[in-house]
Amino acid sequence: MSHHTLASSRIAVLGYGSQGRAHALNLRDSGLDVVVGLRPNGPTWHKAKADGFTVAEPAEAVKGADLVAVLTPDMVQPALYKEAIEPNLKPGAALLFAHGFNVHFGQITPRADIDVILVAPKGPGALVRSEYERGRGVPCIWAVHQDVSGHAEAKTKGYADGIGGNRAMLIQTDFKEETETDLFGEQAVLCGGASELVTKGFETLVEAGYQPEIAYYEVMHELKLIVDLFYEGGLAKMLQFVSETAQYGDYVSGPRIVDAGTKARMKGVLSDIQDGTFAKNWIAEYQAGLPNYKRLKQADLEHPIEVVGAKLRARMPWLQPNTPPAAVAPLKKAG
């Protein structure tokens, strides 16, 4: 099924962050009719206008739409649904999400007379856009949660096609699986796990008397080399490109760090996601004005690895491609 399913449809994209912008541009370049729904005169309003889109307030954008793509942050979606979408979306239209959080955890209960679907590209907005422009695409996962029209699957695949996903790969899922695996990945491995692994490694070296600058390079900076190898060719490519010494150290010491106890605690993290504990806590935190979130974030930003990191990154001209050489300050020798 190609995006011709949506050929005569009007698509409203709500939100114009990196994903929203990429989706809107790709859909338009696929020949589809796109309107962008945003708060008047916000920063993204002018950006979408400058990109040549018809821009309207969310409620107006929803009124004429056959498909509404909700691409705003999770925590603002319930109010957006109540105020702009629920009263204005026509029966038989489709409500599309890129993450199942609010539907799965009951923060949004979609009307019974609309299709509820999901398309999530497995890449950041910039890549979704650049791959599309190259004539390629980023793999997407997709799901149908509620099919009222009888065409929900075709609409879902049509949207995925419109953003370039079917040029790469489409994998079917459901809202529960997408939501729970996404949250687990962020918490246990990608954001939570990796940042704690790096900071604890840094602290271990600094507490043992090594220079913070050296510690930074060894545990944070060089992680990129490994992650890129994983991304390009999995464990096999990583093992092919690191030294034999590094390989042997991996085999004997890796399981001492991330052991059965770590895995048991990962299962605890997964349980909290599955039974709604994490969602309940996050929603309460957001509604309270984010006091813990702000405090914990500040602690991360003030960690010694950030202090030394800022100083070292200023000496890496490839991170600031437009900085003339003279603008880079000289580095004083560590105390």
Side-chain angles (χ1 to χ4, degrees):
M1 184 63 73
S2 79
H3 56 76
H4 302 310
T5 323
L6 301 175
S8 56
S9 303
R10 163 153 280 210
I11 300 173
V13 172
L14 306 184
Y16 206 69
S18 69
Q19 285 288 349
R21 181 169 189 264
H23 288 219
L25 291 168
N26 291 5
L27 292 164
R28 181 173 69 183
D29 288 353
S30 292
L32 300 173
D33 178 19
V34 179
V35 57
V36 177
L38 297 170
R39 283 198 311 267
N41 294 314
T44 53
W45 174 281
H46 299 292
K47 191 166 190 183
K49 276 258 194 249
D51 287 337
F53 284 103
T54 301
V55 187
E57 293 192 45
E60 283 306 307
V62 169
K63 272 176 191 157
D66 301 289
L67 186 153
V68 172
V70 184
L71 299 172
T72 58
D74 291 332
M75 291 295 119
V76 305
Q77 289 179 14
L80 181 70
Y81 177 74
K82 274 262 173 293
E83 292 156 21
I85 302 172
E86 193 173 46
N88 298 303
L89 188 59
K90 63 189 182 193
L95 183 61
L96 179 142
F97 294 89
H99 179 39
F101 186 98
N102 285 302
V103 170
H104 179 60
F105 290 118
Q107 300 309 293
I108 293 176
T109 305
R111 278 178 13 212
D113 62 347
I114 56 174
D115 293 343
V116 183
I117 61 182
L118 178 142
V119 173
K122 291 289 101 186
L127 187 72
V128 171
R129 181 59 182 158
S130 61
E131 283 297 279
Y132 181 94
E133 290 177 308
R134 289 183 148 131
R136 302 189 303 216
V138 169
C140 289
I141 62 176
W142 65 278
V144 171
H145 184 72
Q146 186 167 287
D147 182 4
V148 170
S149 68
H151 303 292
E153 182 173 330
K155 292 176 189 178
T156 312
K157 289 181 175 171
Y159 185 96
D161 186 2
I163 62 172
N166 74 332
R167 297 169 176 178
M169 184 185 195
L170 301 182
I171 303 172
Q172 187 172 7
T173 184
D174 57 42
F175 275 53
K176 172 179 162 48
E177 181 176 64
E178 185 279 329
T179 303
E180 293 174 352
T181 54
D182 188 83
L183 292 172
F184 177 81
E186 290 166 355
Q187 294 174 31
V189 181
L190 306 177
C191 308
S195 59
E196 287 300 321
L197 196 63
V198 166
T199 52
K200 296 292 187 284
F202 176 85
E203 289 168 7
T204 301
L205 288 175
V206 173
E207 286 162 18
Y210 300 106
Q211 293 180 71
E213 293 79 4
I214 307 279
Y216 176 89
Y217 279 121
E218 294 305 331
V219 303
M220 184 180 265
H221 179 83
E222 293 191 17
L223 186 61
K224 178 179 173 17
L225 307 174
I226 303 304
V227 170
D228 285 351
L229 293 169
F230 280 162
Y231 186 80
E232 293 158 15
L235 294 174
K237 183 156 185 179
M238 187 273 281
L239 294 170
Q240 181 190 341
F241 281 86
V242 301
S243 69
E244 288 170 328
T245 306
Q247 287 177 54
Y248 179 70
D250 168 331
Y251 307 141
V252 297
S253 299
R256 291 177 63 185
I257 302 300
V258 179
D259 60 7
T262 312
K263 189 171 173 185
R265 290 187 297 276
M266 283 184 170
K267 289 184 174 177
V269 166
L270 183 56
S271 295
D272 282 354
I273 291 166
Q274 290 170 328
D275 69 15
T277 302
F278 170 77
K280 190 179 75 195
N281 291 345
W282 171 219
I283 292 158
E285 173 70 20
Y286 186 83
Q287 288 169 348
L290 302 170
N292 297 301
Y293 168 101
K294 288 173 179 162
R295 176 176 55 79
L296 296 166
K297 184 172 192 169
Q298 197 53 40
D300 265 7
L301 296 176
E302 289 169 3
H303 191 283
I305 200 169
E306 282 302 280
V307 179
V308 73
K311 188 170 64 170
L312 295 176
R313 288 188 298 269
R315 302 296 304 159
M316 300 180 207
W318 60 91
L319 297 180
Q320 293 93 7
N322 303 319
T323 310
V328 179
L331 182 66
K332 295 189 172 62
K333 166 119 177 50

